[in-house]
Amino acid sequence: MGEMFRSQEIPGKGYGVIAVREIQVEKKEFLERAVKHLDKKKREEFWSLHDSKVPDGAEKTIVGIWRTNNFALGVSGPKANNGLFLKMSRFNHSCSPSAEFHWNQRKGRQEIRSVRNISKGEEITISYFTNQVAVLNQRGRKEYLQSHYGFPCDCSACSLQGAEREKNDWERAEISRLEDRIERLFYDIEEEEDPEVDRLQSDNSDDVNSDLTNSKLIGGNLNSCKNNQPIPNCHQSDEDNSSCEDVNHNYIQNNIDSSDSNYPVDQSHTTLQDNGNLNFTNQNIKHTPCEDEDKDEQCVLEGLNLCFIRLELMKRLGLKIVSQLQVYKLVYDTAMEWDFPEKAVTAAQSAAGLSTTLYGSGSMEWSSWKSRLQHAQKYININQNS
């Protein structure tokens, strides 16, 4: 095949090495081989998929189609497995989706389940991004989707105008602010620290040189099964705190609190009324410093109550169920550790219902939450009888 590179003088650098022909990485070659071995119908379906990575006027590429359409098979992140599903790739995005996808490990398949009632003739939609992007304001989400996926979102949430848009933007930002307050209460984090910085890191997922050594094509579905760096996936799972596209932390953080709404940002908070409705006030939250055991307990109880408020907002805005389940897990574990079993029971009951919606009754996830519920109830009964 001849030389791949040669040494020559580089302006301003002295000597360096340049490629004398195109060098294709093994991963790209694998994708090409995989698509080539599809039957004609499936190959045509593959090439009909959207490529959001191609420049205007240029032809689609196999890598671009893969990066636009593949799904995380379970937990998103640097070691995630990924797959491309021809039918599933046809589901469009909504910031208030009617369905949610998840990887069924026991059955070895990607599933999409409705998360609310869907009318006949209504489009079934899913969310393409993680919770960190979902809490951005309307402008931030639109910019993100345009830059990463090449389309302007016109879903119901992105079509809101006026006071409705302002309220929606404020509620999404409140979810993020509540998370920060809860972390400070639970983990005694200093005010000047930003917990988002430690959690939101770019994973350089635009790097096509990700490892696909053990990827395979099964039944028209392209799966990346190497537990190493994956080719970046468009459709992200919230089962951990990783982001699977090159999500820049500063971009997200700047858009969380840069809403051009008139709703209060820094000096407001949400309270849960006795009737279960949310009440938005414009008062400063005053946290009790957690300097002794009694105050620690007060801080934890306040944090648990804020978790339920955050969950109510997540439910109202249609954020992913898997993200809500993460919060319920935090509530349950914290409540049991700090001897608030009634809070744990409430969390387990709600989480069991959500697990039925997303994973189905009888699933491992549902069974796990039912076991937690029984454990918390048993703990209460023992204490009452002692």
Side-chain angles (χ1 to χ4, degrees):
M1 297 180 62
E3 287 186 337
M4 297 176 63
F5 59 87
R6 68 167 179 264
S7 176
Q8 71 175 48
E9 189 171 359
I10 306 295
K13 295 184 177 181
Y15 275 84
V17 176
I18 66 168
V20 297
R21 64 176 176 83
E22 181 180 358
I23 302 174
Q24 295 186 344
V25 295
E26 179 183 352
K27 295 77 185 176
K28 182 179 178 181
E29 292 175 345
F30 167 80
L31 289 171
E32 291 173 343
R33 290 196 303 270
V35 173
K36 182 179 179 181
H37 284 89
L38 291 172
D39 61 44
K40 181 179 179 181
K41 181 180 179 181
K42 289 181 178 178
R43 190 162 57 248
E44 289 175 351
E45 288 184 53
F46 175 87
W47 282 107
S48 69
L49 295 175
H50 180 55
D51 180 358
S52 66
K53 310 302 178 182
V54 65
D56 291 339
E59 294 184 357
K60 296 179 182 180
T61 67
I62 290 177
V63 171
I65 292 174
W66 164 266
R67 289 174 55 207
T68 303
N69 294 280
N70 77 80
F71 286 79
L73 307 183
V75 177
S76 303
K79 294 185 178 181
N81 297 328
N82 302 276
L84 191 153
F85 305 87
L86 296 174
K87 290 183 178 179
M88 199 166 288
S89 296
R90 292 300 183 185
F91 285 84
N92 288 323
H93 166 84
S94 172
C95 299
S96 299
S98 58
E100 188 169 332
F101 66 88
H102 78 96
W103 175 249
N104 188 322
Q105 184 66 40
R106 183 171 61 86
K107 296 182 179 180
R109 70 184 188 188
Q110 191 84 310
E111 297 178 345
I112 289 184
R113 289 178 174 267
S114 61
V115 295
R116 62 171 174 80
N117 293 335
I118 302 174
S119 303
K120 181 179 180 179
E122 178 185 355
E123 182 182 14
I124 303 172
T125 56
I126 60 176
S127 174
Y128 286 1
F129 44 52
T130 62
N131 190 51
Q132 283 77 22
V133 182
V135 297
L136 299 181
N137 58 36
Q138 186 185 100
R139 183 178 60 189
R141 297 194 312 277
K142 281 177 171 284
E143 290 176 354
Y144 178 88
L145 289 166
Q146 182 68 58
S147 64
H148 286 75
Y149 306 122
F151 67 86
C153 188
D154 61 353
C155 71
S156 58
C158 286
S159 299
L160 295 174
Q161 298 181 0
E164 288 185 334
R165 177 187 61 78
E166 292 178 358
K167 182 173 183 291
N168 189 276
D169 285 350
W170 188 89
E171 289 180 349
R172 289 176 187 272
E174 182 72 349
I175 292 174
S176 181
R177 290 190 292 267
L178 284 170
E179 180 179 18
D180 291 344
R181 295 169 193 162
I182 291 164
E183 289 190 357
R184 288 196 294 270
L185 288 165
F186 284 173
Y187 308 115
D188 198 22
I189 298 174
E190 296 296 330
E191 283 285 337
E192 62 269 21
E193 293 182 1
D194 185 2
E196 290 287 314
V197 173
D198 295 329
R199 188 174 63 258
L200 277 176
Q201 298 292 339
S202 170
D203 64 355
N204 299 318
S205 59
D206 268 343
D207 183 5
V208 179
N209 297 325
S210 303
D211 199 329
L212 270 175
T213 306
N214 289 343
S215 299
K216 56 186 177 181
L217 190 70
I218 304 177
N221 297 329
L222 185 60
N223 296 330
S224 169
C225 299
K226 177 73 172 178
N227 255 344
N228 208 319
Q229 296 284 346
I231 289 283
N233 60 290
C234 166
H235 309 95
Q236 302 170 12
S237 165
D238 271 318
E239 293 182 39
D240 70 349
N241 289 323
S242 304
S243 174
C244 298
E245 272 287 356
D246 53 335
V247 183
N248 181 276
H249 164 68
N250 292 327
Y251 173 84
I252 292 179
Q253 194 61 37
N254 289 340
N255 278 281
I256 285 177
D257 289 326
S258 65
S259 170
D260 51 358
S261 74
N262 295 320
Y263 276 76
V265 174
D266 296 321
Q267 295 184 333
S268 59
H269 73 284
T270 314
T271 58
L272 191 62
Q273 298 175 327
D274 292 338
N275 59 8
N277 294 326
L278 290 174
N279 178 44
F280 301 96
T281 64
N282 190 24
Q283 302 173 1
N284 290 321
I285 290 185
K286 297 180 180 179
H287 296 301
T288 304
C290 300
E291 298 173 351
D292 56 47
E293 187 172 335
D294 290 339
K295 290 182 179 179
D296 280 351
E297 190 172 280
Q298 294 174 17
C299 287
V300 169
L301 184 58
E302 181 183 352
L304 291 172
N305 290 332
L306 290 179
C307 281
F308 285 113
I309 293 172
R310 184 168 182 252
L311 284 160
E312 182 63 28
L313 283 171
M314 294 173 75
K315 177 183 176 182
R316 173 188 293 185
L317 295 170
L319 270 63
K320 287 182 177 179
I321 286 179
V322 69
S323 298
Q324 297 178 49
L325 289 173
Q326 288 178 342
V327 181
Y328 277 121
K329 178 66 163 53
L330 172 65
V331 171
Y332 181 89
D333 290 343
T334 305
M336 291 301 294
E337 179 182 354
W338 284 85
D339 201 20
F340 294 114
E342 293 81 6
K343 299 285 186 183
V345 167
T346 300
Q349 287 173 333
S350 298
L354 289 179
S355 294
T356 301
T357 299
L358 183 58
Y359 303 109
S361 59
S363 63
M364 292 175 57
E365 294 81 1
W366 175 84
S367 297
S368 177
W369 277 109
K370 292 297 288 186
S371 295
R372 292 188 182 101
L373 175 59
Q374 292 169 1
H375 176 70
Q377 290 173 330
K378 183 178 180 180
Y379 181 84
I380 293 174
N381 292 335
I382 290 174
N383 286 344
Q384 288 176 343
N385 295 328
S386 61

